[in-house]
Amino acid sequence: MIALLGEAVTGDPPEPGRTGRVLIADAESVLVDRRLPTPPQPEIVRVSALPYLLPLIEQGAGEVPHAVAVVDRVGSDMYGVDEQGEVVDESIEGTGHPVHKVRHGGGWSHRSMQRRVEETVRRNADEVAGELTRVARRVHAEVVVVAGEVATRSAVRRALGATGARVVEVEAGSRAAGSDDAELDGAVRELVAEQAEQRRAEVVARFDKAHGRDEGLAVTGLSGTVSALLASNAENLLINSAALGDRTVRLPAEPLRDPAALGALRSATGATCRADEALPVAALVRGGTVTPVGEQAAPPEGVGALLRYA
């Protein structure tokens, strides 16, 4: 296992700047190899029957699927990022010409040429909007960012199909040769983080509301949360790693009605495990969601769950 991890670390060139990395391996292969924008402090090394997924989940909690298009009259450069952080690249070039308005003069001929230009620009914007709609739907984008030439990005935004995403125009970004992408990247990161925080706030608000109702569609604390997970009744696990601390749980020999649902993780049953390892795994293998929450929103003992049914 140590040899596999060593090969993974030394086999790829290092990323520029100070970045982090999550590696999870068993005795046969590296199962997870993901980059983080910042290194964990301090470094974490664990040997356990269960994978420690929280650092990866906490990183992902600050991001949402999104699509970005930088447009001008001719076409667009665009990409989408899905829930797993995988990037889908697209580049669209308009097919119609001309795309520059002619100078004044020329009577009826001039006006005809003007109409041709405007129609070409509109057609190109429609083409870009159609492709951007497809990319946004493909990655299930929650935010669509449109940058570039002012008139064109507005036309693309108007022509966008239904995506269910928040659509935002930004001033940064250009298709011109030599343009600096740093400002656009910063604007996109800010919008993505803002949307991710809104998503998390909505989950916390749902949890607070459900916990205060008689039908009991939320539980708090380690005992209630474990019971919900073992009953496959946890729709969303809320967790704060600092508040949860070093608490442990004991997984029974047959923790689920269908033990096969744990797959290869059955070897961990009948043993005492760290709760910060076992609870996220238990939530994910049964189709639930894990939402890391801040200290102020943390339930008692650092964990709680929104339930599927009372």
Side-chain angles (χ1 to χ4, degrees):
M1 190 181 296
I2 292 172
L4 286 168
L5 291 169
E7 290 171 6
V9 170
T10 59
D12 294 330
E15 293 284 321
R18 285 180 53 78
T19 60
R21 197 165 176 183
V22 173
L23 289 162
I24 300 174
D26 60 14
E28 298 179 354
S29 63
V30 174
L31 305 172
V32 175
D33 185 350
R34 288 288 184 89
R35 304 281 182 172
L36 301 179
T38 57
Q41 296 295 335
E43 290 185 354
I44 302 167
V45 179
R46 291 194 183 181
V47 180
S48 171
L50 293 172
Y52 182 44
L53 301 177
L54 261 185
L56 196 57
I57 294 170
E58 288 171 344
Q59 162 63 25
E63 301 179 357
V64 295
H66 57 281
V68 179
V70 184
V71 303
D72 60 17
R73 289 182 162 205
V74 175
S76 171
D77 298 316
M78 69 178 69
Y79 67 89
V81 178
D82 65 17
E83 192 77 51
Q84 285 72 47
E86 299 295 327
V87 178
V88 177
D89 287 303
E90 301 284 341
S91 183
I92 304 300
E93 294 293 336
T95 56
H97 293 283
V99 293
H100 299 289
K101 287 191 176 182
V102 296
R103 295 181 180 178
H104 291 292
W108 287 108
S109 173
H110 162 75
R111 276 179 275 182
S112 176
M113 292 177 69
Q114 288 280 68
R115 284 196 296 270
R116 285 177 54 204
V117 168
E118 291 165 0
E119 174 60 22
T120 299
V121 171
R122 185 197 61 76
R123 190 163 56 246
N124 286 346
D126 288 347
E127 185 178 342
V128 169
E131 190 61 21
L132 181 56
T133 299
R134 188 188 67 80
V135 170
R137 289 173 178 169
R138 178 178 173 184
V139 301
H140 304 289
E142 295 186 27
V143 180
V144 173
V145 182
V146 187
E149 191 178 78
V150 177
T152 306
R153 74 182 188 227
S154 296
V156 168
R157 180 175 184 174
R158 288 193 299 271
L160 273 176
T163 64
R166 173 189 175 198
V167 182
V168 183
E169 292 183 49
V170 296
E171 296 296 330
S174 170
R175 299 187 79 209
S179 58
D180 184 6
D181 294 333
E183 188 179 358
L184 174 60
D185 290 343
V188 171
R189 282 195 300 270
E190 185 176 330
L191 287 167
V192 167
E194 182 181 297
Q195 188 69 21
E197 183 55 39
Q198 180 178 325
R199 177 205 273 186
R200 179 161 29 197
E202 289 171 355
V203 171
V204 171
R206 279 185 59 208
F207 177 82
D208 289 342
K209 184 176 180 180
H211 188 250
R213 289 177 177 260
D214 293 336
E215 59 264 32
L217 285 175
V219 293
T220 62
L222 199 53
S223 177
T225 302
V226 168
S227 296
L229 289 168
L230 295 180
S232 302
N233 190 22
E235 173 195 324
N236 199 317
L237 171 70
L238 284 74
I239 186 167
N240 177 274
S241 56
L244 183 57
D246 296 330
R247 289 182 172 86
T248 60
V249 294
R250 183 169 179 82
L251 298 180
E254 293 187 3
L256 303 168
R257 296 184 191 129
D258 177 14
L262 282 177
L265 302 175
R266 279 179 292 169
S267 61
T269 63
T272 298
C273 305
R274 286 184 61 105
D276 60 2
E277 295 171 355
L279 300 188
V281 169
L284 294 174
V285 298
R286 299 317 301 264
T289 304
V290 181
T291 300
V293 295
E295 188 174 352
Q296 296 297 323
E301 298 184 308
V303 290
L306 277 164
L307 304 181
R308 293 188 169 104
Y309 50 86

